[in-house]
Amino acid sequence: MAFKETIGNTTYSFDNLKELLAKATPYRSGDVLAGIAASNNKERVAAQYALASLPLKHFLSHLVIPYETDEISRLIIDDFNESAFHPISHLTVGDFRDWLLSDAATTQILKNISLGLTPEMVAATCKLMRNQDLIYVASKCEVPTAFRNSLGAKGQFSTRLQPNHPTDNATGIAAAILDGLLLGNGDAVIGINPATDNLKTTEALLHMLDGIIQQNEIPTQSCVLSHVTTMMPLMKKGAPVDLVFQSIGGTEATNKSFGVNISILEEAYHMALSLKRGTVSNNVMYFETGQGSSLSANAHHGVDQQTCEVRSYALARKFKPLLVNTVVGFIGPEYLYDGKQITRAGLEDHFCGKLMGLPMGVDICYTNHAEADQDDMDNLLTLLATAGCNYIIGVPGADDIMLNYQSTSYHDAAYIRKLLNLRMAPEFEKWLYERLPS
Amino acid sequence: MNVYLLNPLAMNSENHPKIQTESGLLKKDQLNDYTFARVNLPTSGFAIRLSEVLAFRADHAAARDAIFTPFEIQKIKDNIQPVCKDTIETSSQATSKEVYLKRPDLGKLLDEPSKTKLKECTSKQKDVAIIISNGLSAAAVNENAAQFLNHFIPQLLEGNISITPIIFASNARVALSDEIGALLETKLSIILVGERPGLSSPDSMSAYFTYAPEVGLTDESRNCISNIRIKGLPPIQASEKLFYLVNASLTKKISGVHLKDDMGLLE
C-alpha cells in the first residue's frame, strides 16, 4: 500500500509501510548510511503527517518483514494479544500519541495494553514524539522485576556494576567491584564482559562472582556476559549461573549473526529457570540491544534502525527478563553520529522498551570517534533518570578499559540518586547501610 | 531518613565487603595496585575531584585529536626510504573525515584516480602489497608505521617474498586493502591502519592481512594483529609476528579463521 501526503505545493509519496516509517524517523546517520532516510526535512515531516493518520490496526495486516521469512515477524503476530489491544484499537498512530500523554493513560492502563502493542506500532508512535513526550510517558510506566532483590519500582534507580578487565584478571576485576560497591553500585547486577568468551574463563569468573556475593551476603545477582551457548554447558555442569545474558536484535538474520535464535534462547531460559537461584523472584534473563545492529549485520531488510530495535523488544519480553538495556552509543558514529542523536536514541529506546513492558535500562555511552563527550552523557543520564529508567551502567571513572568506550561512572550514579532522591534496590540499600559505622 | 547523609565511602577496612584474592584480602586504599581502571578516585561529596576530571578530559582530548591529526605521508616516506623508495598515493571515496566517519561503505572503495594509478602500476603480481592508512588514528601510523616497516620489509626481502610499491591510502577502511590487492594482483594484501582510539591508547595501530584479496571479502577472511604501539605490542615485535603469519599464509594459501594460532602468536 502506498501513502501520499501534500505539504504546500509538494506531494510526497511513500511506497510502503517500511519506507514511511524510515522517512518519518528523526535524522540519524545510520538510516542515511542504509539509504532509507528522508531526503530532506520536508519529506520527513510529510512522512510524519502520513504516519499520524494511519490506524494502529494497519500494522496487524501489514508487516515490515514478511511473516514467512522472519521468525521475529512470526513472534510478533503469533503473540499479539487482541484483548489487550482492544481499548486502543480505534486509534490512529497520532491519536495514540495524544492519548499516551493524557491522564487517561495511567500506569496500570499502560501495563494492561502492553501485550496488545506490536513493535511497529510503538516505533511509529515514537517517531512522532518529542523528547519530552518520550520522557513523560516512560515515567508513567513501571516494570518491576526481581531475582535476589527487587528492581524497577518507581523512585528506584539501579546500576549494573561493570568491572571489566582487558585480560580478565581476577584481582583487577575484584578491585573494580569493591570500588563500585563502596559507591553503592551493583544492585541491578554485577556483570562482567569477559575479554575472552570461552568456557574456562567464564566458569572461573562465575565462581569468583558467586564467592564475593556469598561471602558478603550481598542481595544482588551476578552475570558473565558470555554467549548463551557458552552458558548452557556451564549450567549443565553446575556452575553458579544467576542470569543468562545474550545480545539480541530485531530480525531473524540479525540474531543469526549473533549465533542465536528463538529456540536456543528458550532452551537457555528454561535451563536458567530450573536452577532456582533467585530468592525474591525468578527473572533470569539479561539482554542487550542497540540501534544499528541489524544494519551492521546487513540484516535490516530496508527497515529503519529504530524500528528494528523495537522489534528486538518483542523477542526480549518473551523471556520475562530481569534486565534489558540498549547500549546506545557503543555502535559508532556511522549509526548515531553525535550527542544529539545518541540522546534521542537513548530516550527512544527507553520509552519503547517500557511501553512494550520491559524493565528497561540504558548503557549511556559513546566511543571516541563519535561527536560526543561526558557532558552529553551527563545530559542523557539526567533525562533518563527523570524518565524513570530502571538502571544504568557503572564503570570505574566512566572508562571501560576492556571495551575501550566511555559509559557512566560509579559516581555518576551517586550524583543522580542524590539529585533526584532516587533509591537503590531496597534489599541492597539495607545491606549497604548496615555496614556503615553508626 | 535521607540515606545519602551516609556515605558508603566512609566504610573502613574493618567493615567494607571482604574480597579474597590471590594477593590477599582487598583493601580499599590499595585498589590501584591491581588494575589500571580508574578506581579509588578522590572525591568531593560524591563528585570526582577536578584533578581526575581533567586527567580524563586530557585522555579524551588525545583520542579525539588522534582521529583528526593529518596523515603525514611525506614523513613516513622519508622514514622508510632506506628500505623502500617506491610508493603510490591513493585515496578512498571518503573525501573528508566526517564522510569517513559517517560512511564506512565509501572508505571501502577506491576513488577513480586511485584506481587508474593502480591499474597503471608496472609492478604487479608480487607476493605482497603493503598499504598504510590513517584510518581512525593518523597518530597511530604517523608514529608506528615507519618503525614497523623498517624491520618488516628487510625480513620479507631476505625471505624472497616480493613486494609492490608501498601504497598510502587516505581514509581507508580495512576492506579497501582487498580492492588494492586485487588490482595489483598480489597473493596477499597487508594494511597498517590506525585503530579507533581508546582513552589509554590514542596511537594504536593494527595490521590486517588477507590471502587472495578480492572485493567483497569479510572479516572472517582476515587475520589481525592489534595494539601495535610503543606501550602496547612494540612495532618490532609486531613485525616478527606478522612475518611469521605471512609466511604461514603464503605456504598454506589461506588467511582468516582457518589460519590457526599454532605458534601461540595470535592472542
Side-chain angles (χ1 to χ4, degrees), chain A residues 267-292:
Chain A
E267 192 184 344
Y269 173 56
H270 289 293
M271 217 182 268
L273 275 180
S274 72
L275 301 178
K276 296 190 166 52
R277 292 174 59 85
T279 50
V280 182
S281 187
N282 219 11
N283 297 112
V284 294
M285 299 299 282
Y286 175 15
F287 295 115
E288 280 190 338
T289 65
Q291 291 189 27

mmCIF file of all heavy atoms in Angstrom, chain A residues 267-292:
data_model
loop_
_atom_site.group_PDB
_atom_site.id
_atom_site.type_symbol
_atom_site.label_atom_id
_atom_site.label_comp_id
_atom_site.label_asym_id
_atom_site.label_seq_id
_atom_site.Cartn_x
_atom_site.Cartn_y
_atom_site.Cartn_z
ATOM 1 N N GLU A 267 15.672 -22.573 25.181
ATOM 2 C CA GLU A 267 16.370 -23.652 25.880
ATOM 3 C C GLU A 267 17.188 -23.100 27.057
ATOM 4 O O GLU A 267 17.134 -23.622 28.179
ATOM 5 C CB GLU A 267 17.288 -24.371 24.873
ATOM 6 C CG GLU A 267 17.844 -25.675 25.386
ATOM 7 C CD GLU A 267 18.831 -26.313 24.409
ATOM 8 O OE1 GLU A 267 18.859 -25.918 23.218
ATOM 9 O OE2 GLU A 267 19.585 -27.194 24.861
ATOM 10 N N ALA A 268 17.907 -22.011 26.785
ATOM 11 C CA ALA A 268 18.736 -21.410 27.836
ATOM 12 C C ALA A 268 17.862 -20.864 28.966
ATOM 13 O O ALA A 268 18.188 -20.998 30.155
ATOM 14 C CB ALA A 268 19.592 -20.296 27.248
ATOM 15 N N TYR A 269 16.741 -20.254 28.591
ATOM 16 C CA TYR A 269 15.819 -19.670 29.571
ATOM 17 C C TYR A 269 15.305 -20.743 30.533
ATOM 18 O O TYR A 269 15.346 -20.578 31.764
ATOM 19 C CB TYR A 269 14.673 -19.003 28.818
ATOM 20 C CG TYR A 269 13.541 -18.478 29.664
ATOM 21 C CD1 TYR A 269 13.774 -17.570 30.699
ATOM 22 C CD2 TYR A 269 12.229 -18.872 29.419
ATOM 23 C CE1 TYR A 269 12.718 -17.076 31.456
ATOM 24 C CE2 TYR A 269 11.167 -18.381 30.168
ATOM 25 C CZ TYR A 269 11.419 -17.483 31.194
ATOM 26 O OH TYR A 269 10.385 -16.993 31.945
ATOM 27 N N HIS A 270 14.856 -21.863 29.985
ATOM 28 C CA HIS A 270 14.306 -22.906 30.849
ATOM 29 C C HIS A 270 15.385 -23.550 31.706
ATOM 30 O O HIS A 270 15.144 -23.912 32.856
ATOM 31 C CB HIS A 270 13.541 -23.935 30.010
ATOM 32 C CG HIS A 270 12.262 -23.367 29.472
ATOM 33 N ND1 HIS A 270 11.204 -23.030 30.293
ATOM 34 C CD2 HIS A 270 11.885 -22.995 28.231
ATOM 35 C CE1 HIS A 270 10.227 -22.516 29.561
ATOM 36 N NE2 HIS A 270 10.620 -22.472 28.307
ATOM 37 N N MET A 271 16.578 -23.624 31.150
ATOM 38 C CA MET A 271 17.685 -24.161 31.939
ATOM 39 C C MET A 271 17.993 -23.255 33.136
ATOM 40 O O MET A 271 18.166 -23.717 34.260
ATOM 41 C CB MET A 271 18.917 -24.268 31.027
ATOM 42 C CG MET A 271 19.790 -25.468 31.272
ATOM 43 S SD MET A 271 21.219 -25.417 30.161
ATOM 44 C CE MET A 271 20.593 -26.353 28.807
ATOM 45 N N ALA A 272 18.010 -21.948 32.874
ATOM 46 C CA ALA A 272 18.312 -20.992 33.950
ATOM 47 C C ALA A 272 17.195 -20.980 35.001
ATOM 48 O O ALA A 272 17.467 -20.917 36.210
ATOM 49 C CB ALA A 272 18.518 -19.591 33.373
ATOM 50 N N LEU A 273 15.950 -21.067 34.544
ATOM 51 C CA LEU A 273 14.820 -21.112 35.488
ATOM 52 C C LEU A 273 14.942 -22.312 36.427
ATOM 53 O O LEU A 273 14.668 -22.205 37.629
ATOM 54 C CB LEU A 273 13.501 -21.237 34.718
ATOM 55 C CG LEU A 273 12.819 -19.982 34.188
ATOM 56 C CD1 LEU A 273 11.540 -20.374 33.464
ATOM 57 C CD2 LEU A 273 12.531 -18.988 35.300
ATOM 58 N N SER A 274 15.376 -23.425 35.861
ATOM 59 C CA SER A 274 15.397 -24.667 36.634
ATOM 60 C C SER A 274 16.451 -24.624 37.744
ATOM 61 O O SER A 274 16.403 -25.418 38.678
ATOM 62 C CB SER A 274 15.654 -25.857 35.711
ATOM 63 O OG SER A 274 16.998 -25.834 35.277
ATOM 64 N N LEU A 275 17.399 -23.693 37.658
ATOM 65 C CA LEU A 275 18.421 -23.589 38.702
ATOM 66 C C LEU A 275 17.846 -22.987 39.985
ATOM 67 O O LEU A 275 18.403 -23.161 41.067
ATOM 68 C CB LEU A 275 19.609 -22.741 38.219
ATOM 69 C CG LEU A 275 20.334 -23.242 36.961
ATOM 70 C CD1 LEU A 275 21.454 -22.283 36.581
ATOM 71 C CD2 LEU A 275 20.897 -24.642 37.170
ATOM 72 N N LYS A 276 16.751 -22.232 39.852
ATOM 73 C CA LYS A 276 16.035 -21.652 41.009
ATOM 74 C C LYS A 276 16.971 -20.928 41.979
ATOM 75 O O LYS A 276 16.919 -21.135 43.185
ATOM 76 C CB LYS A 276 15.277 -22.756 41.758
ATOM 77 C CG LYS A 276 14.171 -23.396 40.924
ATOM 78 C CD LYS A 276 13.313 -24.300 41.817
ATOM 79 C CE LYS A 276 12.016 -24.723 41.186
ATOM 80 N NZ LYS A 276 12.107 -25.313 39.850
ATOM 81 N N ARG A 277 17.834 -20.092 41.441
ATOM 82 C CA ARG A 277 18.780 -19.367 42.302
ATOM 83 C C ARG A 277 18.239 -18.038 42.791
ATOM 84 O O ARG A 277 18.816 -17.414 43.675
ATOM 85 C CB ARG A 277 20.109 -19.172 41.555
ATOM 86 C CG ARG A 277 20.859 -20.480 41.334
ATOM 87 C CD ARG A 277 22.086 -20.289 40.469
ATOM 88 N NE ARG A 277 23.052 -19.355 41.003
ATOM 89 C CZ ARG A 277 23.996 -19.671 41.889
ATOM 90 N NH1 ARG A 277 24.094 -20.905 42.330
ATOM 91 N NH2 ARG A 277 24.842 -18.758 42.316
ATOM 92 N N GLY A 278 17.125 -17.559 42.205
ATOM 93 C CA GLY A 278 16.537 -16.309 42.667
ATOM 94 C C GLY A 278 15.850 -16.522 44.007
ATOM 95 O O GLY A 278 15.236 -17.565 44.219
ATOM 96 N N THR A 279 15.949 -15.564 44.903
ATOM 97 C CA THR A 279 15.317 -15.717 46.219
ATOM 98 C C THR A 279 14.049 -14.879 46.333
ATOM 99 O O THR A 279 13.104 -15.266 47.013
ATOM 100 C CB THR A 279 16.295 -15.317 47.348
ATOM 101 O OG1 THR A 279 16.839 -14.031 47.030
ATOM 102 C CG2 THR A 279 17.412 -16.328 47.480
ATOM 103 N N VAL A 280 14.025 -13.706 45.668
ATOM 104 C CA VAL A 280 12.829 -12.861 45.723
ATOM 105 C C VAL A 280 11.870 -13.258 44.606
ATOM 106 O O VAL A 280 10.669 -13.407 44.809
ATOM 107 C CB VAL A 280 13.187 -11.368 45.620
ATOM 108 C CG1 VAL A 280 11.930 -10.496 45.727
ATOM 109 C CG2 VAL A 280 14.194 -10.977 46.704
ATOM 110 N N SER A 281 12.407 -13.442 43.400
ATOM 111 C CA SER A 281 11.628 -13.965 42.287
ATOM 112 C C SER A 281 12.599 -14.553 41.274
ATOM 113 O O SER A 281 13.793 -14.663 41.576
ATOM 114 C CB SER A 281 10.751 -12.868 41.670
ATOM 115 O OG SER A 281 9.887 -13.442 40.703
ATOM 116 N N ASN A 282 12.105 -14.920 40.119
ATOM 117 C CA ASN A 282 12.948 -15.689 39.214
ATOM 118 C C ASN A 282 12.966 -15.121 37.794
ATOM 119 O O ASN A 282 12.753 -15.833 36.839
ATOM 120 C CB ASN A 282 12.494 -17.149 39.218
ATOM 121 C CG ASN A 282 13.685 -18.096 39.166
ATOM 122 O OD1 ASN A 282 14.840 -17.681 39.323
ATOM 123 N ND2 ASN A 282 13.424 -19.364 38.922
ATOM 124 N N ASN A 283 13.249 -13.814 37.654
ATOM 125 C CA ASN A 283 13.538 -13.248 36.336
ATOM 126 C C ASN A 283 15.015 -13.537 36.062
ATOM 127 O O ASN A 283 15.886 -13.011 36.744
ATOM 128 C CB ASN A 283 13.279 -11.742 36.322
ATOM 129 C CG ASN A 283 11.823 -11.403 36.581
ATOM 130 O OD1 ASN A 283 11.490 -10.835 37.628
ATOM 131 N ND2 ASN A 283 10.953 -11.745 35.663
ATOM 132 N N VAL A 284 15.295 -14.371 35.079
ATOM 133 C CA VAL A 284 16.654 -14.911 34.958
ATOM 134 C C VAL A 284 17.422 -14.465 33.716
ATOM 135 O O VAL A 284 18.562 -14.871 33.528
ATOM 136 C CB VAL A 284 16.638 -16.456 34.960
ATOM 137 C CG1 VAL A 284 16.167 -16.981 36.304
ATOM 138 C CG2 VAL A 284 15.761 -16.986 33.830
ATOM 139 N N MET A 285 16.779 -13.641 32.861
ATOM 140 C CA MET A 285 17.460 -13.299 31.614
ATOM 141 C C MET A 285 17.934 -11.841 31.621
ATOM 142 O O MET A 285 17.331 -10.967 32.243
ATOM 143 C CB MET A 285 16.542 -13.518 30.404
ATOM 144 C CG MET A 285 16.074 -14.954 30.221
ATOM 145 S SD MET A 285 17.410 -16.142 29.952
ATOM 146 C CE MET A 285 17.797 -15.859 28.223
ATOM 147 N N TYR A 286 19.006 -11.604 30.896
ATOM 148 C CA TYR A 286 19.576 -10.267 30.725
ATOM 149 C C TYR A 286 19.887 -10.100 29.233
ATOM 150 O O TYR A 286 20.633 -10.895 28.669
ATOM 151 C CB TYR A 286 20.845 -10.137 31.574
ATOM 152 C CG TYR A 286 21.620 -8.832 31.395
ATOM 153 C CD1 TYR A 286 21.061 -7.715 30.777
ATOM 154 C CD2 TYR A 286 22.917 -8.716 31.878
ATOM 155 C CE1 TYR A 286 21.778 -6.534 30.629
ATOM 156 C CE2 TYR A 286 23.642 -7.540 31.740
ATOM 157 C CZ TYR A 286 23.070 -6.461 31.103
ATOM 158 O OH TYR A 286 23.786 -5.296 30.956
ATOM 159 N N PHE A 287 19.276 -9.076 28.608
ATOM 160 C CA PHE A 287 19.504 -8.829 27.184
ATOM 161 C C PHE A 287 20.116 -7.453 26.958
ATOM 162 O O PHE A 287 19.752 -6.484 27.642
ATOM 163 C CB PHE A 287 18.187 -8.889 26.399
ATOM 164 C CG PHE A 287 17.543 -10.243 26.399
ATOM 165 C CD1 PHE A 287 16.318 -10.442 27.025
ATOM 166 C CD2 PHE A 287 18.150 -11.325 25.767
ATOM 167 C CE1 PHE A 287 15.713 -11.692 27.025
ATOM 168 C CE2 PHE A 287 17.551 -12.584 25.764
ATOM 169 C CZ PHE A 287 16.333 -12.765 26.394
ATOM 170 N N GLU A 288 21.002 -7.379 25.970
ATOM 171 C CA GLU A 288 21.450 -6.076 25.479
ATOM 172 C C GLU A 288 21.056 -5.941 24.012
ATOM 173 O O GLU A 288 21.051 -6.914 23.258
ATOM 174 C CB GLU A 288 22.957 -5.882 25.663
ATOM 175 C CG GLU A 288 23.306 -5.479 27.094
ATOM 176 C CD GLU A 288 24.747 -5.048 27.296
ATOM 177 O OE1 GLU A 288 25.627 -5.425 26.483
ATOM 178 O OE2 GLU A 288 25.009 -4.346 28.280
ATOM 179 N N THR A 289 20.737 -4.682 23.650
ATOM 180 C CA THR A 289 20.282 -4.365 22.305
ATOM 181 C C THR A 289 20.969 -3.065 21.886
ATOM 182 O O THR A 289 21.754 -2.516 22.643
ATOM 183 C CB THR A 289 18.755 -4.131 22.298
ATOM 184 O OG1 THR A 289 18.479 -2.962 23.086
ATOM 185 C CG2 THR A 289 17.993 -5.314 22.883
ATOM 186 N N GLY A 290 20.628 -2.569 20.712
ATOM 187 C CA GLY A 290 21.142 -1.268 20.305
ATOM 188 C C GLY A 290 20.806 -0.978 18.862
ATOM 189 O O GLY A 290 20.932 -1.861 18.003
ATOM 190 N N GLN A 291 20.359 0.233 18.611
ATOM 191 C CA GLN A 291 20.040 0.636 17.242
ATOM 192 C C GLN A 291 21.266 0.463 16.347
ATOM 193 O O GLN A 291 22.373 0.820 16.739
ATOM 194 C CB GLN A 291 19.595 2.105 17.192
ATOM 195 C CG GLN A 291 18.251 2.357 17.840
ATOM 196 C CD GLN A 291 17.726 3.766 17.578
ATOM 197 O OE1 GLN A 291 18.052 4.385 16.581
ATOM 198 N NE2 GLN A 291 16.900 4.266 18.491
ATOM 199 N N GLY A 292 21.050 -0.075 15.153
ATOM 200 C CA GLY A 292 22.136 -0.193 14.182
ATOM 201 C C GLY A 292 22.662 -1.606 14.028
ATOM 202 O O GLY A 292 23.369 -1.902 13.066
#
